[in-house]
Amino acid sequence: MNPNAPIPLDVLTEEEKMLRDTVARFAATKIRPRVMEMDEQAKMAPEVIRECFELGLMAVAVPGAYGGGEMSFFSTVLVIEELAKVDPSVSVMVDVQNTLVENVFLNWGTDEQRQRYLPRLVQDTVGCYCLSEPVSGSDAFALKTRAQDKGDHWQLDGSKLWITNGGEAGIFVVFATVDPSAGYRGITAFIVERDFPGFTVGKKENKLGIRASSTVPLTFEACRVPKANVIGEVGKGYKIAIETLNEGRIGIGAQMIGLAQGAFDQAMRHMLEREQFGKPIAAQQGLQWMIADMETRTCAARELLYRVGHMIDAGSSVPAATLTRYSAMSKLICTDVAMDVTTDAVQLLGGYGYVQEYPVERMMRDAKITQIYEGTNQVQRLVIARNLLNELKLT
C-alpha cells in the first residue's frame, strides 16, 4: 500500500458499514440515556460494560480462535469513533482494551499467555495498560517501578498513576525496570492480575472530563508475579511500549473525531431550531463561517485518521518510521480539532451550551484530556519533527 495514497471517506466495505451502523444504534439506544448520570456520578454503568462485551466491542480484531471478532484494525477505529459521538468515556474504555491491552497479547504474548488471558478479555474482563508514574509522564522511560528476580517469581515495587480502566480492570499490563542503571533497556512488561498479593488499586481521580472512565493510581509492595507472566523478553519492554502506543494514538484520534462529529451534530441541530431576529441562527453569515470551519477541519482530520488506520492493516508494507509519524500526526490533529470544535459548539449554543442539560459542555470537558494523555501534543510535535529530520538525514 502507498501510505500517501488518499483513502476516500465513503470507501467502506459492507461489513464495515454494518458494523458502524450497529455501533451507532447501540450508542444511541443503550449509552445515550445513561451519559448524564454516568458523568455526574463519575462511574461507568456496569450494564454498559456488560453490553459492550456482549456486542463484541471489547475484542474487535482479536482472532476468532479466542472468541474475538477477527476484524481489521480499521474496524476498531470505526467502533471507537461511533461510541465517542455519544460518550468518549465509553469510547476510551473500549479503545484501551482493543488498541493497547489486547494488542500487547497478540503481538508479544506467548501462546500460553494468549490462551490464558485473551478469552477473558474477550468475554468479561476489562484490561488496562500501566506505563505512567508520578515522575514519569512525557518522559515515559524514566519510570521507577522496580522488578526484581526472586528465583521462582518476580517482585514488583513502586507505583503507577493516571491508569485508565483501572477501577474496573482485572488484568493489568505493567511496565517496570529490572535494572534502573540500564535506562530504557531495563524496562520489562508484566501481566498482573487484580488479586495478586502486594497489588493495590487506589481511589479514582475526580476529573474534569471523561468522568465515567475510571482513572486510578496503582501501588506495588512486594507484589509477586509468576515467571510465566513476563511479556516478551526481559529488558525489551520499551519496544512493546513504543510500538503499542502507535496504535493507541490512532485510537485517541478516533475518539476525538467521533467527539468532534457529535458536538458538530448537536450544534447544527440547535442552529436550525433556534430563532433570533425572526429567523434560524443558521441563516447568520458569521455563524455559517464557524460551521464551515468546524466541518472542514473535522473531515480533514478524519481523512488522515482513516489513512493511518489502514496503514496498520497494511502491516510490514508500511515502514515503521512512517507509521510512527502518521500516528503522531493523527493524534495531534484529531485532538486539536476536537478541542476547537467542542469549544465552538458551546459558543454556538450560547447560554444553552454552558449548562449541563445540553451535552456540548460535557463534550468540551471530555476533549481536553486527549491533548494530554498518551503523549502530550507537544511531544507529538517533537516525534513528528524528529522523525522527518531523521528521514532527511538532518539529525
Side-chain angles (χ1 to χ4, degrees), residues 6-12 303 306 310:
I7 298 170
L9 300 183
D10 59 350
V11 179
L12 296 180
E303 186 84 18
Y306 282 14
H310 282 291

Side-chain angles (χ1 to χ4, degrees), residues 245-304:
L245 286 174
N246 278 338
E247 297 191 17
R249 287 165 181 162
I250 301 169
I252 300 299
Q255 288 177 43
M256 289 302 98
I257 285 302
L259 177 60
Q261 187 66 56
F264 178 79
D265 293 345
Q266 292 289 335
M268 285 297 298
R269 186 175 300 113
H270 178 80
M271 290 180 67
L272 293 171
E273 295 173 353
R274 172 72 166 163
E275 290 192 1
Q276 291 287 274
F277 308 107
K279 56 186 175 182
I281 62 174
Q284 302 296 333
Q285 186 182 61
L287 302 188
Q288 290 175 356
W289 289 354
M290 288 179 68
I291 62 173
D293 286 344
M294 293 163 74
E295 172 74 354
T296 300
R297 297 194 68 200
T298 301
C299 286
R302 183 184 287 111
E303 186 84 18
L304 179 59

Side-chain angles (χ1 to χ4, degrees), residues 31 108 184 197 252 276 383 393:
I31 298 176
W108 289 279
Y184 71 89
I252 300 299
Q276 291 287 274
V383 170
K393 308 302 181 186

Side-chain angles (χ1 to χ4, degrees), residues 210-384:
I210 57 167
R211 289 174 53 79
S213 167
S214 66
T215 303
V216 302
L218 308 175
T219 303
F220 305 88
E221 297 178 318
C223 176
R224 293 175 61 94
V225 178
K227 281 295 186 71
N229 281 33
V230 172
I231 305 178
E233 297 179 45
V234 173
K236 295 296 181 66
Y238 70 91
K239 181 176 176 63
I240 295 174
I242 289 173
E243 295 187 11
T244 304
L245 286 174
N246 278 338
E247 297 191 17
R249 287 165 181 162
I250 301 169
I252 300 299
Q255 288 177 43
M256 289 302 98
I257 285 302
L259 177 60
Q261 187 66 56
F264 178 79
D265 293 345
Q266 292 289 335
M268 285 297 298
R269 186 175 300 113
H270 178 80
M271 290 180 67
L272 293 171
E273 295 173 353
R274 172 72 166 163
E275 290 192 1
Q276 291 287 274
F277 308 107
K279 56 186 175 182
I281 62 174
Q284 302 296 333
Q285 186 182 61
L287 302 188
Q288 290 175 356
W289 289 354
M290 288 179 68
I291 62 173
D293 286 344
M294 293 163 74
E295 172 74 354
T296 300
R297 297 194 68 200
T298 301
C299 286
R302 183 184 287 111
E303 186 84 18
L304 179 59
L305 171 71
Y306 282 14
R307 180 183 300 180
V308 73
H310 282 291
M311 285 182 184
I312 294 290
D313 289 325
S316 59
S317 65
V318 178
T322 300
L323 180 58
T324 295
R325 184 168 76 250
Y326 271 75
S327 296
M329 290 193 299
S330 176
K331 197 268 187 185
L332 172 64
I333 190 172
C334 291
T335 57
D336 280 352
V337 165
M339 195 70 245
D340 290 344
V341 169
T342 55
T343 301
D344 283 347
V346 171
Q347 184 71 24
L348 286 168
L349 266 72
Y352 295 105
Y354 204 69
V355 297
Q356 292 186 353
E357 182 180 353
Y358 292 80
V360 292
E361 67 85 27
R362 171 185 56 79
M363 290 174 161
M364 186 176 73
R365 289 189 285 109
D366 288 345
K368 183 58 199 175
I369 187 56
T370 63
Q371 294 178 309
I372 299 170
Y373 66 13
E374 288 201 36
T376 66
N377 282 7
Q378 288 74 22
V379 168
Q380 302 311 314
R381 288 177 169 90
L382 285 174
V383 170
I384 295 162

